Every structure is written in structure tokens, then in C-alpha cells.
Amino acid sequence: MPSYSAHAPGKIILFGEHAVVYGQPAIAIPVHQVRANASVTPEINGDPGVVRIQAPNIDLDTRLDELNLDHPLAAAIEGVTASLGISRIPACTLRVTSTIPVASGLGSGAAVSVAVIRAMAGFLGQPMANEQVSKIAFEVEKIHHGTPSGIDNTVVTFAKPVYFVKGHPIETFNITNPFTIIIGDTGIASPTKETVGDVRLRWQANPKKFEAFFAAVGSITKSARAAIESGHPVRLGPLMNENHALLQEMGVSSPTLDRLVQAALDSGALGAKLSGGGRGGNMIALAATGNEKLISLAFKNAGAIRTITSNIED
Ligand code: MEV
């Protein structure tokens, strides 16, 4: 069996995080500047059935049978073998690397799962269609996130901008005029599982208030899609600001995120918001023509540990 390699990009949520868990639409785009890679190499002289796993970014060098079944890498491999009806994997080494910061809202967990699922299925001689890859990655996401919407596995599998509604088939849409987003990383790790869990508790304590927040975010997302499709991305700026204000009210922003959002606006961004789970991780700003560098600099001066400039086009 020959070696097989695969990869998946990072992602950011443009609009609709958290509300998407409750059935509202969200928009997410792939971030190709960062990615997860997986390769599976046969071990001709290896012990039969032994799958060695090396993930140097997390200092992991072990065997599959030494991992708990709820370990995300074990769950991804198990998802592949169960789906293909394979009971024994030939001796091999799975190597996983990633440039996507962990717990930062850039979809690191989903991208690692997707790369591993693709590489293992390909190694086993049965490359999988995106729908199947995304389905298995969603099961693994439940270990990372508890109650994920499915948006992360969808956008990193299909590697296209998506308009996502939980439980609905993937919808893509036209980006009529390109636009530029600057991503600022707070450097503060914030597991999505925790912020999603906190929003759930607050929603349970105050369902009417939170359902109104979710509905308001849903209509912002719909307006954002219309702005993108009609070729008026500048209209996204105020929508981002409104979405950020609602996320603040839901309790998932933080002083650092708010500081970066303000720094972006002060440096001429057309709008800015946190992106992903919140409380840390990343935020995004919409650049006006020619001010990308100013915004990046403003982020760095306000404490961002890195910035990524992403041109959003078809
Ligand atoms: C995480 O990228 C987006 C959240 O809405 C969680 C989810 O949709 O699963 C916060």
C-alpha cells in the first residue's frame, strides 16, 4: 500500500458564531495561510496491525492501541475504519502536523480530523468523498466541542466560503466583489467547548433574552450574505460591529478582544468583531482599500501575537 498525504485549511467565522448552534445561519471561510497535514506511510517491517502515531506539535509519539477511544486522533481513525468496514489497518505510521494555532477559533481540531480522515481512507485504498469526510469529522468535533453546529468540519472539508445552517446541506454562494479581512490573534487559548457550554447555561437561564440575541445575529448573517452576493462588501463593516455587540451581550467577548476590535476601528477598519468561540482566540476586521497594513500594525500594537491578511474571493 503506498503512502498517502492529505491536508485541510484553517477557517474563520465571518458572521453567526454561537447563534449557529441554535439553528441560525452563519458564514465561514477557509483560511489557506494555515493548515493541518496528515500522512500515512506503510511500515513494511512493522508489527502487523500496529499503527504508530506521531504528532510532534503536541509531543505525541505513540501507538493507536495506546490511545483512549475518545482521543480525537483515535476517534478519527476509528470513524474511517467503521465507515469503510475495515477491521485491521496494515502496519503504518500516521504523522500529523499543523500550523493552525490550537484553541484559537481557526478550526484546528476540525482541520486535523479532516486531514487524518482523508489520509487514512486514502491509505486504505478508499479515498472518501467530502460529504463522508465531513460527517466523520463532525462526530470527532463532538468530542472537542460537546454540542458543535458542524460549521467547522464543513468549511474546512469543502475549503470554500459557506453559508451554513445546522442540519442542512452545505450552501456556497458567490463572492461578487473580493474583499480583505485581517485576522488578529489574541494569543489567548480559549477552548470552544467552554464558551459554547457557557452560552448554553446562559440560554437555559434566560431563554427569551438569548433567543432574541440569536435571532438578531441570524438576520445580520442574512444581510451579510446579501451584501456579499450583491457586490457591496463595504456593507459588511457595520454588520460586523453589530454582531460583535451581540456577542458581547452573550458574554463571549473579553477585554483583550474588545481592545483589538477598537484598535482596528481606530486604524480605519470598516468593521470588526471577534471570530469563533470568543473569550480569546481570534478577531477579524474588514479592511478598506489600501489600509490592510495599518490595521495589522494596529493589531500588533494592541497586543496581537500574529495577524493574517486574507483576501476573500471566489
Ligand atoms: C466555532 O468555530 C463556532 C461556534 O459557533 C461553535 C459551533 O458552531 O460549533 C462558537
Side-chain angles (χ1 to χ4, degrees), residues 22 38 57 81 87 112 140 153 156 158 202 242 248 260 276 288 305:
Y22 299 84
N57 298 112
T81 51
S87 54
V112 165
V140 183
N153 50 283
V156 306
F158 289 87
R202 287 170 187 220
E242 281 173 45
Q248 282 176 317
L260 289 182
I305 60 157

Side-chain angles (χ1 to χ4, degrees), residues 11 13 16-21 105 145 147-152 192 196 276-277:
K11 70 100 211 339
I13 309 263
E17 51 276 272
H18 289 292
V20 66
V21 174
H145 284 188
T147 55
S149 63
I151 191 168
D152 287 14
T192 307
V196 169

Side-chain angles (χ1 to χ4, degrees), residues 214-226:
F214 301 149
V217 171
S219 49
I220 289 172
T221 303
K222 287 180 196 145
S223 304
R225 177 179 178 164

